Amino acid sequence: MERVISGIRPTGNLHLGNYFGAVKSFVKMQDEYDCMFFIADWHSLTTHPTPENIRNSVKTILSEYLACGIDPEKAPIYVQSDVKQVLELYLYLNMNAYLGELERVTSFKEKVRKQPDNVNAGLLTYPCLMAADILMHKADKVPVGKDQEQNMEMARLFARRFNRIYNVEYFKEPASFYFADKAVKVPGLDGTGKMGKSEGNCLYLCDDEKTVTKKIMRAVTDQGPTQLNQEKPEVIQNLFTLCELLSGKEAADYYNDQYNNMTIRYGDMKKQMAADANTLLAPIRERILAYSSDDALLDRIMRQGAEAASARAEKTIEEVREIIGFRKI
Ligand code: TYM
């Protein structure tokens, strides 16, 4: 059976970008593939969270995953830092990764620009840690949003390079998986760029009904089309992308026709989007509350996930050590 791995950094709550970019595909895939899901807490250290931040965020994200429908009986959920073999593979991959190519990664360049005071080595080698997460499980498919495409390319590059250096056919090249057959970039509610925690433009899965409605009704738009069939500016294109995700293609086409014949009222479109968002989120919200108050259940899920992932990781590391020429321990 093909293997699937997916992960998320525990920095705040899950938003619609995470949901449509990765979690939704994963929930579907758990019935057909050999899936594992993990919480990338080592990755979150690049921003220096406090111990309390980490403990709370891991619990929050785990509750939100479960609330979205990830079933730990089908897809073990583990915390990255519980599987120490990942660090060993990370070290090996670091030895085969070159400064020039790591510096060229767009998300690294963005961080250098946005946070020049904290350009740590972990940021630079972020793609190596992500590749270790994926290659450790010999994953065939990785559900991700468009923003992770370059990291996925790096993971494939590191797999090929390892095989070439040691003259083996050991690591598979993992493919990105998109539920709608093409990479999804969920736009932010401010009309520009992608929805992201650091952008402050998110609709969170745990937002209450009123907040959801308020955020969508306030999503940035323009004065409306001034010509028949005119091309949409970015803010409006983004609203339509969100509309299709929340309300479906038929609804988006309906408003698109109205846009083209200049009868559109963004308020009506947003009202429908808000209603559909609340229909999607109401049961998720309820389940988040139930899971997040059940510490014993969350602990058990993390423990079982760690066991399943460590067993697989140990096997990979034993094989990798042998390929590299290290003694068996
Ligand atoms: P992270 O935590 O930023 O996001 C988790 C997942 O959500 C997707 N996503 C989006 N998709 C579409 N539109 C958006 N606006 C949007 N915002 C977030 C991301 O593409 C991602 O799939 N590096 C990863 C975490 C990671 C990982 C891995 C993922 C570490 N190791 C191994 C997969 C496999 C990250 O920072 O995702």
Side-chain angles (χ1 to χ4, degrees):
M1 201 193 276
E2 283 198 310
R3 288 188 182 176
V4 172
I5 182 89
S6 185
I8 193 157
R9 276 169 307 140
T11 48
N13 296 92
L14 283 185
H15 53 73
L16 280 189
N18 303 132
Y19 181 77
F20 287 116
V23 182
K24 188 176 169 187
S25 323
F26 193 83
V27 171
K28 261 199 187 158
M29 294 172 100
Q30 65 184 347
D31 291 318
E32 294 164 44
Y33 296 91
D34 175 359
C35 288
M36 282 205 189
F37 213 127
F38 74 99
I39 299 172
D41 56 350
W42 274 323
H43 281 281
S44 74
L45 293 184
T46 57
T47 55
H48 304 156
T50 64
E52 203 187 339
N53 279 158
I54 294 196
R55 277 191 285 270
N56 290 340
S57 302
V58 166
K59 211 179 112 181
T60 303
I61 289 279
L62 178 57
S63 312
E64 294 183 343
Y65 267 170
L66 294 167
C68 288
I70 292 171
D71 176 355
E73 297 297 323
K74 295 179 187 161
I77 306 177
Y78 67 93
V79 179
Q80 187 185 36
S81 61
D82 285 344
V83 183
K84 300 194 177 47
Q85 293 87 345
V86 171
L87 286 185
E88 190 170 340
L89 185 56
Y90 172 50
L91 179 119
Y92 301 146
L93 296 178
N94 273 336
M95 299 298 171
N96 302 338
Y98 296 101
L99 181 61
E101 65 195 2
L102 294 172
E103 278 177 335
R104 279 195 296 276
V105 172
T106 317
S107 49
F108 177 72
K109 288 197 285 194
E110 235 170 65
K111 291 277 168 14
V112 172
R113 195 171 48 80
K114 281 192 183 161
Q115 49 179 71
D117 300 338
N118 180 23
V119 184
N120 56 63
L123 276 179
L124 182 73
T125 58
Y126 188 108
C128 305
L129 183 54
M130 181 156 161
D133 294 325
I134 298 169
L135 300 183
M136 182 61 93
H137 295 286
K138 317 235 183 74
D140 298 278
K141 292 192 166 75
V142 184
V144 280
K146 193 170 167 54
D147 59 324
Q148 297 298 318
E149 260 176 3
Q150 204 176 11
N151 285 333
M152 288 301 301
E153 264 168 41
M154 298 296 277
R156 290 189 278 272
L157 174 72
F158 295 146
R160 281 198 299 278
R161 190 173 287 159
F162 182 94
N163 291 347
R164 187 167 40 75
I165 292 175
Y166 295 104
N167 198 20
V168 287
E169 274 304 316
Y170 185 69
F171 284 124
K172 290 182 185 173
E173 287 189 41
S176 308
F177 182 88
Y178 312 117
F179 79 94
D181 293 333
K182 66 173 177 27
V184 183
K185 175 178 146 192
V186 180
L189 294 168
D190 52 358
T192 56
K194 67 164 184 169
M195 187 174 286
K197 280 163 264 199
S198 49
E199 320 298 328
N201 60 7
C202 294
L203 193 65
Y204 293 102
L205 304 192
C206 61
D207 280 341
D208 62 35
E209 188 172 342
K210 260 197 183 151
T211 308
V212 168
T213 306
K214 201 163 75 187
K215 282 186 177 177
I216 293 183
M217 294 312 287
R218 285 190 187 158
V220 177
T221 52
D222 62 7
Q223 303 292 329
T226 51
Q227 283 172 35
L228 291 173
N229 302 314
Q230 81 179 46
E231 203 178 308
K232 298 186 188 71
E234 192 193 353
V235 279
I236 303 305
Q237 188 49 56
N238 283 343
L239 191 71
F240 272 85
T241 303
L242 268 178
C243 178
E244 185 166 340
L245 289 167
L246 288 169
S247 304
K249 183 162 175 6
E250 223 172 88
D253 285 347
Y254 171 78
Y255 291 109
N256 192 43
D257 287 345
Q258 293 194 343
Y259 185 85
N260 284 336
N261 63 28
M262 295 169 59
T263 57
I264 190 157
R265 293 199 325 203
Y266 294 133
D268 294 345
M269 180 176 171
K270 288 176 174 178
K271 259 189 216 149
Q272 172 159 5
M273 287 165 63
D276 290 328
N278 275 316
T279 307
L280 169 74
L281 296 182
I284 295 182
R285 271 193 300 254
E286 226 172 84
R287 289 194 296 259
I288 291 175
L289 285 180
Y291 283 122
S292 59
S293 58
D294 193 343
D295 275 345
L297 176 70
L298 298 182
D299 279 341
R300 195 167 67 240
I301 290 172
M302 286 190 277
R303 215 170 330 107
Q304 285 170 351
E307 268 170 34
S310 299
R312 194 170 272 182
E314 188 51 37
K315 183 166 181 299
T316 304
I317 278 300
E318 272 178 19
E319 290 165 356
V320 168
R321 287 177 65 95
E322 194 183 340
I323 291 171
I324 294 179
F326 290 133
R327 277 188 315 115
K328 200 170 161 54
I329 23 177

